[in-house]
Amino acid sequence: EVQLLESGGGLVQSGGSLRLSCAVSGFTFSNYAMTWVRQAPGKGLEWVSTLSGSGDVTYYAVSVRGRFTISRDKSKNTLYLQMNSLRAEDTAVYYCAGGRIGGGNFCVDPWGHGTLVTVSS
Amino acid sequence: QSVLTQPPSVSAAPGQKVNISCSGSSSTIGNNYVSWYQQLPGTAPKLLIYENNKRPSGIPDRISGSKSGTSATLGISGLQTGDEADYYCGTWDSSQSAGVFGGGTQLTVL
């Protein structure tokens, strides 16, 4: 069974840092692009970042570029999102997801249950 | 303001069919595959359609997807109260090298 389990969310002050983790089981990292998607309270989905299946290409939304870093540890089957210089507008539920992205494709599946990040100003 | 435009809400009676539109541009929908997601209240999104019109295993055939030019449509027939949810389209933006989602459409089954 495929499972993605996020952790690391919480309350942080504006300007602070937080690292999200996503423990993956049931599929092989190298076969999938891994993605973070967020959803602010009462708002829609916002794509945040994608790491290619090969692990050597990263993509970031303009809103987080230069502040967030996506990475993975294959030995631990874990995806990370290092978030620095956090702002109030980064407050959201952050979802970890697998999928096929690139070469004209955009298919985000499966999804984790999400972890809430709250940035206080 | 989302790069992909969806109607904020749609509604229909049980048993009827509803279409949800998603409008983009040549750099988004025009040159990339579209996927659709259902989000029930308080839950994570779920993939309904990928590569414009393909259904993952377990998604019933009353769910359909299509694409024409720079627009895509999600169709749901035989509406049930359990279909009440938010629906999102998604695709890649080749000009920005970024993923994009529509603003979401809230479906009400009257």
Side-chain angles (χ1 to χ4, degrees), chain A residues 36-118:
Chain A
W36 290 96
V37 175
R38 69 184 180 184
Q39 186 170 34
K43 303 297 184 182
L45 303 177
E46 180 187 9
W47 173 85
V48 173
S49 180
T50 292
L51 177 66
S52 66
S54 59
D56 58 353
V57 182
T58 57
Y59 304 96
Y60 296 96
V62 170
S63 57
V64 306
R65 196 170 295 159
R67 300 188 298 124
F68 290 12
T69 302
I70 190 171
S71 63
R72 73 184 186 190
D73 185 332
K74 289 177 68 176
S75 67
K76 295 182 179 179
N77 271 2
T78 301
L79 178 74
Y80 301 102
L81 186 66
Q82 177 67 43
M83 304 185 296
N84 299 331
S85 302
L86 283 162
R87 307 165 179 167
E89 54 265 37
D90 294 319
T91 293
V93 172
Y94 284 73
Y95 295 101
C96 164
R100 296 185 301 278
I101 293 179
N105 216 330
F106 185 80
C107 174
V108 184
D109 180 69
W111 297 67
H113 61 84
T115 186
L116 177 63
V117 172
T118 303

Side-chain angles (χ1 to χ4, degrees), chain B residues 19-101:
Chain B
N19 289 323
I20 298 174
S21 61
C22 176
S23 178
S25 66
S26 58
S27 66
T28 57
I29 293 176
N31 282 285
N32 295 286
Y33 285 121
V34 177
S35 51
W36 288 91
Y37 305 86
Q38 176 195 58
Q39 187 176 33
L40 296 168
T43 69
K46 172 185 174 182
L47 178 69
L48 293 180
I49 294 288
Y50 67 100
E51 293 181 8
N52 303 332
N53 55 19
K54 297 179 181 177
R55 289 185 305 275
S57 173
I59 301 301
D61 60 6
R62 64 186 186 87
I63 306 291
S64 62
S66 63
K67 181 183 120 171
S68 178
T70 59
S71 294
T73 301
L74 174 71
I76 308 174
S77 62
L79 279 170
Q80 305 168 1
T81 55
D83 293 326
E84 288 200 331
D86 293 324
Y87 293 84
Y88 296 89
C89 57
T91 191
W92 190 250
D93 187 332
S94 303
S95 67
Q96 301 294 318
S97 292
V100 289
F101 287 101

